[in-house]
Every structure is written in structure tokens, then in C-alpha cells.
Amino acid sequence: MVGVFAFPALLPAFVTEWGLSNTEAGWISGVLFAGYTLAVPVLTTLTDRMDAKRVYLCGALVAGISCLLYAVAAEGFWSALALRFLAGVGLAGTYMPGLKALVDRTRGPKQARWISFYTASFSLGTSGSFMIIGAVAELWGWKSAFALAGVAALAAFALVLAQLEKAEPIPPAQPVNPFDFGPVFRNRAAMGYVLGYAAHVWELFGARSWMVAFLAWVLASQPGAGGPSPTTAATIGALLAMASSVIGADLAIRFDRRRVCALAMVSSALLAAVIGFLGGLPYGIVVGLMLLYNVLIQIDSAALTTGAVMAAEPERRGATIAIHSLLGFGAGFVGPLAFGMVLDLAGGGNSSLAWGLAFASLAVVVGLGPLALRMK
């Protein structure tokens, strides 16, 4: 996952070097999730009929190649757009197929906790992406950063190939067509979590894609201000988000899962509604608020995915995860793009009002999540 958030981590530099508009930057940030969205229904659903390890290996290979090609061939909007789309296909072949590989290899009451730890590790990968890409780019430039991301994905390929034992899926009592998604959509309990997850991911990736740029704008407007760099703040935020996701998953096990998720969504929506208007506060305070926002966003992440997996019919678990990921990361594609469009329409990246309205747009979407969770 080192390369997943490589572009958002360096977004201000690419805007300057390539002369991108905020809308174009939003397209490049979001197109990874478009590639993910188109590929994930096929790749994850296949795990109902074959060992998910095989799908994962293909995805890791694509992810590695996409980053290596970006390092040597990206030179503007269109080339970056195409290669980040390919990176999204690689993510589609690893993230949810990796979850299915875990589900196929665990049993019993602790399975929900394993699922929660796996999905929480997404934040660890996110923090690593921001931290490693930012540090390497500062020392040796963005081409070296993307090259390292490609090598890291190929290392994941080698690790899983060497270490993960085989585990063929247990055949269902009644054979089913894995690409018949009708029963998945009719499963109201699972779809409540799926739609709630879509609202969550819209906010999550909208905020993650623009957090560094927002903090860079705040820092630039306050010469001499002290505090962590924007990429360091994003790294810390992602690490805190991982812990938050694990804690939220445990709360969902102890208490009513839907209520825990709904309260988390309402809390993050309230902060999103105001945080963009607070860029005039001292930089250190804004960083603190963004870290708190990262914590609130992520409380429900693992709990929502675990809820969808546990509510799925066993023989359609791969298909349910596919729809969960399709709608979720489809929202992840639109979220950064919509954020950039609001930013442009409201006055651009140097306007406090524009930043405020862009973050508030995230609040509107995630505020719909609790309504989806009422489906049972």
C-alpha cells in the first residue's frame, strides 16, 4: 500500500510542477478508486470459486508495475491519470481479496476480531504511504518515491507467495452463480452496512486526499508557524486512525454495532462541517483538529466492513465483499473529485470559504450514513 496515497501525499508539488487545476488534481486523486471500482466486482467475486491468494498475487504484481511505470513515464495529467487508474486495479486485487483470504483461513468467535484488525491495517498502510512517499520525495524526488512504492508492492507479492498457505474455499451446500448479485442486494442487513460504508469512504478519501493540501495552505499563510509538516501530520493522523478503527471494532462487538457506527458518523460530520472554516487558527491547533477528525472518521471503518461480512450469506461472502467494496470505493472515487470541484467553484485553494464549503460537503454525505444503517 506504499503507493496507494502517493499522489495525495505530493499533491501540492504536482499542482505546481504540472500546472494542474484543483479539479484535475481531484481527478488524479480519485481515479485510483475508479480503477478499483471497475475491477473489484470481478476480482473479489472470483474468490468464491478460487483461492483468494491467487487473486492477491495478480493484484500485487499490477500495483508494483503501475508505480514503477509512474516513476519513469508520468509527465502530466493524462499519463498520471492512466497510471493511477492501473494502481487502482492493483488495489482491487489485494485489499478485499486479502480479506477473503483471511476469512477463508479463520474460524470461530475470534474471526470478527481478525477481520477488524485486517481492515484497520488499511490505516497502517495509509500512514506508511504518506510517511514513506513524503520522506523519500523530499530527499530524492517524486520519481524515486514512486519507484520505491513499486518495489514495495513486488515485495508483498513475494511475501504472500512464500508464506501464505493454500486454502481452497469451502464449496456451498447448494452451488450458486458467484456473479448473481441479486441475492446480495436483497440482503437488507448486509446492504445497510454496505451503504453506510459508501458514505464513510466518500468522507474518508475526500478528507485524506486533500488533508495535506489543506494543511500546506494553512502553513503557507502563517510564516514562521511551528508544528509537524503536512505529510507528517497525515502520517500521524493515519496511525491514530488505525488505533481508532480497532477500538471502534471492539466497541461494535461489545455494544450495538449499528448504533456505534451511527454515532461515529454523526461525530465526524459535525467536525467536518466546521473544520475547513478554521484555517485561520494557529497552525498547531488546525493540525490538532485534523488529527481529531482522522480519529472520528475511522471509528466505524472496521466495524462497518465486519458487519457486512458477518451479515453475508456464507456462499456469497465474496460477492457481498465485492459489492461492499464496489459501492464504497466508487464513493471513494467521487469524494476527492467532488471536494476539488467544490473548492474550485467556491473560490480556489487560497480561499477560507472554499475550504470550509469543501469539507462541509463531506459532512453532508456522511450524515446520510446513519439512515442507511436503519436497514435490517
Side-chain angles (χ1 to χ4, degrees):
M1 282 189 60
V2 173
V4 171
F5 283 91
F7 183 84
L10 304 177
L11 189 150
F14 283 118
V15 168
T16 300
E17 182 172 340
W18 290 342
L20 302 173
S21 68
N22 290 315
T23 300
E24 288 174 329
W27 268 105
I28 299 173
S29 290
V31 77
L32 181 143
F33 305 112
Y36 182 101
T37 300
L38 291 176
V40 76
V42 175
L43 297 179
T44 305
T45 302
L46 284 175
T47 64
D48 280 333
R49 288 297 178 90
M50 67 173 63
D51 188 355
K53 173 182 176 179
R54 295 164 60 187
V55 179
Y56 182 97
L57 291 173
C58 292
L61 188 62
V62 171
I65 291 173
S66 71
C67 288
L68 293 175
L69 286 175
Y70 195 103
V72 299
E75 54 186 15
F77 174 73
W78 290 108
S79 55
L81 194 73
L83 290 169
R84 295 310 285 166
F85 179 90
L86 186 63
V89 175
L91 181 60
T94 53
Y95 182 35
M96 287 300 169
L99 174 59
K100 185 58 162 52
L102 175 68
V103 171
D104 289 342
R105 289 163 173 79
T106 56
R107 296 288 184 273
K110 290 188 177 181
Q111 187 184 63
R113 183 168 295 233
W114 280 113
I115 295 171
S116 299
F117 271 95
Y118 179 89
T119 52
S121 73
F122 189 89
S123 292
L124 181 61
T126 299
S127 65
S129 182
F130 278 109
M131 178 181 67
I132 295 170
I133 293 298
V136 173
E138 185 174 349
L139 291 173
W140 297 299
W142 65 264
K143 292 180 180 292
S144 296
F146 272 89
L148 179 61
V151 172
L154 297 180
F157 172 93
L159 183 65
V160 170
L161 178 65
Q163 298 295 327
L164 197 65
E165 76 283 359
K166 293 182 179 180
E168 295 297 334
I170 299 174
Q174 296 293 329
V176 298
N177 178 1
F179 291 97
D180 179 11
F181 296 113
V184 176
F185 287 110
R186 290 192 291 271
N187 185 341
R188 289 178 57 85
M191 285 304 299
Y193 289 113
V194 169
L195 294 176
Y197 184 72
H200 158 74
V201 175
W202 179 302
E203 179 191 30
L204 174 64
F205 289 142
R208 285 272 173 84
S209 294
W210 288 94
M211 176 181 174
V212 171
F214 174 64
L215 291 178
W217 169 71
V218 174
L219 184 60
S221 65
Q222 300 177 22
S229 70
T231 53
T232 299
T235 300
I236 296 171
L239 289 173
L240 291 174
M242 178 182 178
S244 173
S245 185
V246 172
I247 292 171
D250 276 346
L251 290 174
I253 294 173
R254 296 172 182 270
F255 303 103
D256 181 79
R257 181 176 301 275
R258 295 176 187 273
R259 183 169 297 179
V260 170
C261 293
L263 288 175
M265 290 177 174
V266 171
S267 298
S268 66
L270 290 174
L271 186 52
V274 300
I275 195 169
F277 296 105
L278 303 179
L281 294 177
Y283 176 71
I285 294 178
V286 178
V287 169
L289 289 172
M290 287 301 298
L291 295 181
L292 174 61
Y293 184 40
N294 274 262
V295 169
L296 295 178
I297 288 177
Q298 201 74 6
I299 289 174
D300 57 342
S301 186
L304 288 165
T305 298
T306 304
V309 172
M310 303 306 288
E313 299 173 19
E315 67 273 15
R316 299 186 187 277
R317 194 160 276 162
T320 302
I321 294 173
I323 296 300
H324 178 78
S325 205
L326 169 67
L327 297 184
F329 281 77
F333 161 62
V334 179
L337 174 59
F339 191 109
M341 294 177 68
V342 172
L343 195 62
D344 274 340
L345 291 172
N350 291 317
S351 167
S352 177
L353 175 63
W355 282 111
L357 292 176
F359 275 103
S361 70
L362 302 179
V364 172
V365 175
V366 78
L368 299 174
L371 298 178
L373 291 173
R374 295 178 66 87
M375 296 174 59
K376 294 183 181 180

